[in-house]
Amino acid sequence: MPIDPVPGLLSRATELLEKEFVSLPAFEPVIDKEKVAGVLEEVAHRLGDNYPYFHPLYAGQMLKPPHPVARAAYALAMTVNPNNHARDGGRASSEMEIEAVRAIAAMFGWAESGGGFLGHLTSSGTLANLEALWVAGQLAPGKRIVGSEQAHYTHQRISAVLKLDYTGIQADGRGRMSLEDLELELRKGDVGTVVVTLGTTAIGAVDPLDQILALRERYGFRVHVDGAYGGYFRLIPEALDEPARRAYLATVEADSIVIDPHKHGLQPYGCGCVLFRDPSVGRLYKHDSPYTYFTSKQLHLGEISLECSRAGASAVALWATQQLLLLAPGGEFAQGLARGRSAALELDRRLRHQEPPRFQALAAGPPELDIVVWKVAEQTLAHSSHWANEIFVACATQDLHLALVQLPQSWFQPTDCDSHRAESRMVTCLRSVLMKPEHAAWLDSIWERLMASWARVMGE
Ligand SMILES: Cc1ncc(COP(=O)(O)O)c(C=O)c1O
C-alpha cells in the first residue's frame, strides 16, 4: 500500500479544530484505548479481504479512491459528526453543502442568477435519481418514464417504487438510446419524462442528449439526465468525440441532473447529488417538522430533500476537495479525468491492433468515456463467454483486477459460426473502468498481465 498521508494531514487540522471549542470546560471521553486498538487490529485484518481498489492494477468496477483531502476532511468532520438534515445539526456543513452543490451546478452551466436551480447532496446516485423521478411523477401524473435499456436498472426499480410506468427503449450498437425507438414511444403521447444517461454503467455510452432535447420541442416532456457515472466529463468536452461532446454541452437545457461525487468526484461513499433546473420544485417537498427547523430562518436542507439525516461530513469532504481541485476546464481535476480517458483509448487501440487478434473490441468504435469492453475472439459465443471468465480469474492471480459484463453479441463483429442467431444473444465480455488518473501510467503493466493471462488460459 502507498504511504498514507491522511494521518499526518489530520494531526494539525485536529489541533486547530480543538482550538475552535477551547472555551468549553475540558472533559475526557471514556474509552479503553488498549481494547480499541485491539479491535482495530482485527478490523485491519478483516479489511485485507478486499480487492485492492486503491491500486492502479485494480481496473475492474467503478471504484475510485477518495482523494486524501476528502478522507482527511471527512475524518475531521467526524469529530463534530454534523447532520445536514437541518442547520440545528450541521450549521457549517450545511453552508459547505450549498457552496459545493453550487459549484457542481455551475459545471453544468447552471447558475443561481439567470433562473436559478435547486439542488442538494444525497447518500447515493440511487436516492438522487429517486428524488428526480419523484418530482417528475408529481409534475406529470399518470405519464410514463422512459429510458434506454442500457440505463441503470435503478430507474425501473425506482419507477416501480413510485408506481410510475416505465418503458425501456432499445439501445443501438454503441449502447446509446435509439432515437427512432424513442420517437415511436413519444408518438403515443403519454411519455412524461425521458431519462438520458450520460455514461452508461456497462460501457460508458452517452445518450444523444442534444437530439433528445430537439424531440422535447416537438413532443413536450421532462428530460432527466443521469450523469451518476459520467457527469464530470462535462469538464472535458474537448477530449470527447463529437456526438458525446454535443450531448455534454447540452446539459444546460436539462430539467434535472444526477451526478455522483462518490464515483468520479474523488469522494468517500455516501455522496450523490441531484439538481433541478426550476427551483420552484422545492414546493413539492413542503412538509412540517415538529422536531427541527427552529434555530434558523434560513433554508434547512431537509426542507428540500427526501432523506432526513445525512452525513454532513460528506459535504465537508466534497467542499474541501473542490477547494483543492476546482471544477474548472483545464484544472487538475479535469486533467485527471482526461488521463483516465486516454488510458481507455490506448487500451482499446491495443485491443484492436493485436496480431493475431485474441480479443474483439466494440464494432462501433472506441469508448465514449473511460470504460473499455471486449470479448474473447472465439468461434462460438459459449466459448467466448467461457474464456472471458477464465481470463478474468487468471488476471486476478496476476494482481490485475478486471470486471465481467454481459453485452449483446451483435455489438461485436459477427465472426461466430452461429452469428445468424446472435442478434439478441448476450456474450460475457471483459470490462475495465480506467477511472484513476494513474491508469495511464500503468497501462503497459495492465496490458502485459492481460496478455500473459490470455496465453496461460489458452495454453499458448
Ligand atoms: C448511470 C448510473 N446511475 C445510477 C447509479 C446508481 O448509483 P449508486 O450506486 O450511487 O446508488 C449508477 C451506479 O453505478 C450508475 O452508473
Coordinates of all heavy atoms in Angstrom, one line a residue, residues 221-264:
F221 N -41.8 16.9 -23.0 CA -41.6 16.0 -21.9 C -40.5 16.5 -21.0 O -39.8 17.5 -21.5 CB -41.3 14.6 -22.4 CG -40.2 14.5 -23.4 CD1 -38.9 14.5 -23.1 CD2 -40.5 14.5 -24.8 CE1 -37.9 14.4 -24.0 CE2 -39.5 14.5 -25.8 CZ -38.2 14.5 -25.4
R222 N -40.3 16.0 -19.8 CA -39.2 16.4 -19.0 C -38.0 15.6 -19.4 O -38.1 14.4 -19.8 CB -39.5 16.0 -17.5 CG -40.1 17.1 -16.7 CD -40.3 16.7 -15.3 NE -39.1 16.9 -14.5 CZ -38.7 18.0 -14.0 NH1 -39.4 19.1 -14.4 NH2 -37.7 18.1 -13.2
V223 N -36.8 16.2 -19.3 CA -35.6 15.5 -19.5 C -34.8 15.4 -18.2 O -34.4 16.4 -17.6 CB -34.7 16.2 -20.6 CG1 -33.3 15.7 -20.7 CG2 -35.4 16.2 -22.0
H224 N -34.6 14.1 -17.8 CA -33.8 13.9 -16.6 C -32.5 13.3 -17.1 O -32.4 12.2 -17.7 CB -34.5 13.0 -15.6 CG -33.6 12.5 -14.5 ND1 -32.9 13.4 -13.7 CD2 -33.1 11.3 -14.2 CE1 -32.1 12.7 -12.9 NE2 -32.2 11.4 -13.2
V225 N -31.4 13.9 -16.7 CA -30.0 13.4 -17.1 C -29.5 12.6 -15.9 O -29.3 13.1 -14.8 CB -29.1 14.6 -17.4 CG1 -27.6 14.1 -17.5 CG2 -29.5 15.2 -18.7
D226 N -29.2 11.3 -16.2 CA -28.5 10.5 -15.2 C -27.0 10.5 -15.5 O -26.5 9.8 -16.4 CB -29.0 9.1 -15.2 CG -28.3 8.2 -14.1 OD1 -27.4 8.8 -13.4 OD2 -28.7 7.1 -13.9
G227 N -26.3 11.4 -14.8 CA -24.8 11.5 -15.0 C -24.1 11.0 -13.7 O -23.1 11.5 -13.4
A228 N -24.8 10.0 -13.1 CA -24.2 9.5 -11.8 C -22.8 9.1 -12.1 O -21.9 9.4 -11.3 CB -25.0 8.3 -11.3
Y229 N -22.6 8.3 -13.2 CA -21.2 7.9 -13.5 C -20.5 9.0 -14.3 O -19.4 9.4 -14.0 CB -21.2 6.6 -14.3 CG -19.7 6.3 -14.6 CD1 -18.9 5.9 -13.6 CD2 -19.3 6.4 -15.9 CE1 -17.5 5.7 -13.8 CE2 -17.9 6.2 -16.1 CZ -17.1 5.8 -15.1 OH -15.7 5.6 -15.3
G230 N -21.1 9.5 -15.4 CA -20.3 10.2 -16.4 C -20.4 11.7 -16.3 O -19.8 12.5 -17.1
G231 N -21.2 12.2 -15.3 CA -21.4 13.7 -15.2 C -20.2 14.6 -15.3 O -20.2 15.6 -15.9
Y232 N -19.1 14.1 -14.6 CA -17.9 15.0 -14.5 C -17.3 15.2 -15.9 O -16.5 16.1 -16.0 CB -16.9 14.5 -13.5 CG -17.3 14.7 -12.1 CD1 -18.0 13.8 -11.3 CD2 -17.1 16.0 -11.5 CE1 -18.3 14.0 -10.0 CE2 -17.4 16.2 -10.2 CZ -18.1 15.2 -9.5 OH -18.5 15.5 -8.2
F233 N -17.6 14.4 -16.9 CA -17.0 14.6 -18.2 C -17.4 15.9 -18.9 O -16.9 16.2 -19.9 CB -17.2 13.3 -19.1 CG -16.3 12.2 -18.7 CD1 -16.7 11.2 -17.8 CD2 -15.1 12.0 -19.3 CE1 -15.9 10.2 -17.4 CE2 -14.2 11.0 -18.9 CZ -14.7 10.1 -17.9
R234 N -18.4 16.5 -18.2 CA -18.8 17.9 -18.7 C -17.6 18.8 -18.7 O -17.5 19.8 -19.4 CB -19.9 18.4 -17.8 CG -20.4 19.8 -18.1 CD -20.9 19.9 -19.5 NE -21.3 21.3 -20.0 CZ -20.4 22.2 -20.4 NH1 -19.1 21.8 -20.6 NH2 -20.8 23.4 -20.8
L235 N -16.5 18.4 -17.9 CA -15.4 19.3 -17.7 C -14.4 19.2 -18.9 O -13.5 20.0 -19.1 CB -14.6 19.0 -16.4 CG -15.2 19.5 -15.1 CD1 -14.4 18.9 -14.0 CD2 -15.3 21.0 -15.1
I236 N -14.5 18.1 -19.7 CA -13.5 17.9 -20.7 C -14.2 17.6 -22.1 O -13.8 16.6 -22.7 CB -12.5 16.8 -20.4 CG1 -13.1 15.4 -20.0 CG2 -11.6 17.2 -19.3 CD1 -12.2 14.3 -20.0
P237 N -15.1 18.4 -22.5 CA -15.8 18.1 -23.8 C -14.8 18.0 -25.0 O -15.0 17.2 -25.9 CB -16.7 19.3 -24.0 CG -16.3 20.4 -23.1 CD -15.6 19.7 -22.0
E238 N -13.7 18.7 -24.9 CA -12.7 18.7 -26.0 C -12.0 17.3 -26.1 O -11.5 17.0 -27.2 CB -11.6 19.8 -25.8 CG -10.6 19.6 -24.7 CD -11.2 19.7 -23.3 OE1 -12.3 20.2 -23.1 OE2 -10.5 19.3 -22.3
A239 N -12.1 16.5 -25.0 CA -11.4 15.2 -25.1 C -12.4 14.1 -25.6 O -12.0 12.9 -25.7 CB -10.9 14.8 -23.7
L240 N -13.6 14.5 -25.9 CA -14.6 13.5 -26.3 C -14.9 13.6 -27.8 O -14.6 14.6 -28.4 CB -16.0 13.8 -25.5 CG -15.9 13.9 -24.0 CD1 -17.2 14.2 -23.4 CD2 -15.3 12.6 -23.4
D241 N -15.4 12.5 -28.3 CA -15.8 12.5 -29.7 C -17.0 13.4 -29.9 O -17.8 13.6 -29.0 CB -16.1 11.1 -30.2 CG -14.8 10.3 -30.3 OD1 -13.7 10.9 -30.3 OD2 -14.9 9.0 -30.2
E242 N -17.3 13.8 -31.2 CA -18.3 14.8 -31.5 C -19.7 14.5 -30.9 O -20.2 15.4 -30.2 CB -18.3 15.0 -33.0 CG -19.2 16.1 -33.5 CD -18.9 17.5 -32.8 OE1 -17.7 17.7 -32.4 OE2 -19.8 18.3 -32.7
P243 N -20.2 13.3 -31.0 CA -21.6 13.1 -30.5 C -21.6 13.3 -29.0 O -22.6 13.9 -28.5 CB -21.9 11.6 -30.9 CG -21.0 11.3 -32.0 CD -19.7 12.1 -31.8
A244 N -20.6 12.7 -28.3 CA -20.6 12.9 -26.8 C -20.4 14.3 -26.4 O -21.1 14.8 -25.5 CB -19.5 12.0 -26.2
R245 N -19.6 15.0 -27.2 CA -19.3 16.4 -26.9 C -20.6 17.2 -27.0 O -20.9 18.0 -26.1 CB -18.2 17.0 -27.8 CG -18.0 18.5 -27.6 CD -16.7 19.0 -28.3 NE -16.5 18.5 -29.6 CZ -15.4 17.8 -30.0 NH1 -14.5 17.5 -29.1 NH2 -15.3 17.3 -31.2
R246 N -21.3 17.0 -28.0 CA -22.6 17.7 -28.2 C -23.6 17.4 -27.1 O -24.3 18.3 -26.6 CB -23.2 17.4 -29.6 CG -22.6 18.2 -30.7 CD -23.4 18.2 -32.0 NE -22.9 17.0 -32.8 CZ -23.6 15.9 -33.1 NH1 -24.8 15.8 -32.6 NH2 -23.1 15.0 -33.8
A247 N -23.6 16.2 -26.7 CA -24.5 15.8 -25.6 C -24.1 16.5 -24.3 O -25.0 17.1 -23.6 CB -24.5 14.3 -25.4
Y248 N -22.9 16.5 -24.0 CA -22.4 17.2 -22.7 C -22.7 18.7 -22.8 O -23.1 19.3 -21.7 CB -21.0 16.9 -22.4 CG -20.8 15.5 -21.7 CD1 -20.6 14.4 -22.4 CD2 -21.0 15.5 -20.3 CE1 -20.5 13.2 -21.7 CE2 -20.9 14.3 -19.6 CZ -20.6 13.1 -20.3 OH -20.6 11.9 -19.7
L249 N -22.5 19.3 -23.9 CA -22.7 20.7 -24.0 C -24.1 21.1 -23.8 O -24.5 22.3 -23.6 CB -22.1 21.3 -25.3 CG -20.5 21.2 -25.3 CD1 -20.0 21.7 -26.7 CD2 -19.9 22.0 -24.2
A250 N -25.0 20.1 -24.0 CA -26.5 20.4 -23.9 C -27.0 20.3 -22.5 O -28.2 20.5 -22.2 CB -27.2 19.5 -24.8
T251 N -26.2 19.9 -21.5 CA -26.7 19.7 -20.1 C -27.4 20.9 -19.6 O -28.3 20.8 -18.7 CB -25.6 19.2 -19.2 OG1 -24.5 20.1 -19.3 CG2 -25.1 17.8 -19.4
V252 N -27.0 22.0 -20.0 CA -27.6 23.3 -19.5 C -29.1 23.3 -19.7 O -29.8 24.0 -19.0 CB -26.9 24.5 -20.2 CG1 -27.2 24.6 -21.7 CG2 -27.2 25.8 -19.5
E253 N -29.6 22.5 -20.7 CA -31.0 22.5 -21.1 C -31.8 21.4 -20.4 O -33.0 21.3 -20.6 CB -31.2 22.3 -22.6 CG -30.5 23.2 -23.5 CD -31.1 24.6 -23.5 OE1 -32.3 24.6 -23.2 OE2 -30.4 25.6 -23.8
A254 N -31.2 20.6 -19.5 CA -31.9 19.5 -18.9 C -32.8 20.1 -17.8 O -32.6 21.2 -17.3 CB -30.9 18.5 -18.3
D255 N -33.8 19.3 -17.4 CA -34.7 19.7 -16.3 C -34.2 19.2 -15.0 O -34.4 19.9 -14.0 CB -36.1 19.1 -16.5 CG -36.8 19.6 -17.8 OD1 -37.0 20.9 -17.8 OD2 -37.0 18.9 -18.7
S256 N -33.5 18.1 -15.0 CA -32.8 17.7 -13.7 C -31.6 16.8 -14.1 O -31.5 16.3 -15.2 CB -33.8 16.8 -12.9 OG -34.4 15.8 -13.6
I257 N -30.7 16.8 -13.1 CA -29.4 16.1 -13.4 C -29.0 15.4 -12.1 O -29.1 16.0 -11.0 CB -28.2 17.1 -13.8 CG1 -28.6 17.9 -15.0 CG2 -26.9 16.4 -14.0 CD1 -27.5 18.9 -15.4
V258 N -28.5 14.2 -12.3 CA -27.9 13.5 -11.1 C -26.4 13.3 -11.4 O -26.1 12.9 -12.5 CB -28.6 12.1 -10.9 CG1 -27.8 11.2 -10.1 CG2 -29.9 12.4 -10.2
I259 N -25.6 13.5 -10.4 CA -24.2 13.2 -10.5 C -23.7 12.6 -9.2 O -24.2 13.0 -8.1 CB -23.4 14.5 -10.9 CG1 -21.9 14.2 -11.1 CG2 -23.6 15.6 -9.9 CD1 -21.1 15.3 -11.8
D260 N -22.8 11.7 -9.3 CA -22.3 11.0 -8.0 C -20.9 11.4 -7.7 O -19.9 10.9 -8.3 CB -22.3 9.5 -8.2 CG -23.5 8.8 -7.7 OD1 -24.4 9.5 -7.2 OD2 -23.6 7.6 -7.8
P261 N -20.7 12.4 -6.8 CA -19.3 12.7 -6.4 C -18.6 11.4 -5.8 O -17.4 11.4 -5.9 CB -19.5 13.7 -5.3 CG -20.8 14.4 -5.7 CD -21.6 13.3 -6.2
H262 N -19.3 10.4 -5.4 CA -18.6 9.2 -4.9 C -18.2 8.3 -6.0 O -17.7 7.2 -5.7 CB -19.4 8.5 -3.7 CG -20.7 7.8 -4.1 ND1 -21.6 7.5 -3.2 CD2 -21.2 7.4 -5.3 CE1 -22.6 6.9 -3.8 NE2 -22.4 6.8 -5.0
K263 N -18.4 8.7 -7.2 CA -17.9 7.9 -8.3 C -16.6 8.6 -8.9 O -15.5 8.3 -8.4 CB -18.9 7.6 -9.4 CG -20.0 6.7 -8.9 CD -20.9 6.2 -10.1 CE -21.8 5.1 -9.6 NZ -22.8 5.5 -8.6
H264 N -16.9 9.6 -9.8 CA -15.7 10.2 -10.4 C -15.2 11.4 -9.5 O -14.2 12.0 -9.8 CB -16.0 10.7 -11.8 CG -15.3 9.8 -12.8 ND1 -14.0 9.7 -12.9 CD2 -15.8 9.1 -13.9 CE1 -13.7 8.9 -13.9 NE2 -14.8 8.5 -14.5

